[in-house]
Amino acid sequence: MADIEPDDLDEKPLDPAMENVRRKMVKLQLVSGGIMLLMFMAVLAAIVYKVTRPDGSERLVAQPGLAIPADQPIVVAALLPPGFTVLSTDLSNNQILFYGTTSDGTRKALVFDLSVGRIVADVTIAGN
């Protein structure tokens, strides 16, 4: 085997130019490591944010302008035209559709909006 002399194991001091280069490289390595750590923390924060954020399907969709009291029902009066006979009704979100005929036999569809408390559409139905 090769004999290693103890003098070869000791590090010899670098000349001043190489020592400056070594110091700059150590500083560059520390700065790069700090930036990498900061970016890693940002990625972890984004993952935690995405995982803990509630899903869109869990959100309740509130109808604009319609406040429902917790302890009592909404009380609203729909004023239909005189002589209007209701044949059927339908409810969609906060709107009620009244389908019927007037006293002269004209078929109509009236849309009553609960959020504004009035008839918002008066549709006359002609044809078959």
Side-chain angles (χ1 to χ4, degrees), residues 53-61:
R53 198 174 90 188
D55 191 15
S57 63
E58 294 175 5
R59 275 187 256 149
L60 297 177
V61 178

Side-chain angles (χ1 to χ4, degrees), residues 8-24:
D8 292 340
L9 295 177
D10 294 334
E11 290 187 23
K12 297 176 183 158
L14 297 173
D15 61 339
M18 288 303 290
E19 184 64 26
N20 285 339
V21 169
R22 188 190 70 79
R23 285 184 183 164
K24 286 182 183 179

Side-chain angles (χ1 to χ4, degrees), residues 4-114:
I4 300 175
E5 295 187 25
D7 290 339
D8 292 340
L9 295 177
D10 294 334
E11 290 187 23
K12 297 176 183 158
L14 297 173
D15 61 339
M18 288 303 290
E19 184 64 26
N20 285 339
V21 169
R22 188 190 70 79
R23 285 184 183 164
K24 286 182 183 179
M25 294 298 289
V26 168
K27 286 180 186 177
L28 179 64
Q29 190 174 15
L30 289 174
V31 169
S32 294
I35 290 173
M36 294 274 290
L37 181 66
L38 183 67
M39 294 301 137
F40 180 70
M41 296 298 277
V43 168
L44 281 180
I47 291 171
V48 168
Y49 173 75
K50 282 286 195 178
V51 168
T52 59
R53 198 174 90 188
D55 191 15
S57 63
E58 294 175 5
R59 275 187 256 149
L60 297 177
V61 178
Q63 297 298 326
L66 183 62
I68 300 173
D71 58 343
Q72 59 188 350
I74 298 174
V75 178
V76 180
L79 300 175
L80 301 175
F84 185 79
T85 304
V86 177
L87 299 176
S88 68
T89 60
D90 196 9
L91 176 67
S92 175
N93 289 335
N94 58 351
Q95 294 182 337
I96 302 171
L97 170 72
F98 295 100
Y99 177 73
T101 58
T102 58
S103 57
D104 63 352
T106 306
R107 293 182 297 168
K108 285 195 169 209
L110 303 173
V111 179
F112 181 79
D113 194 338
L114 293 170

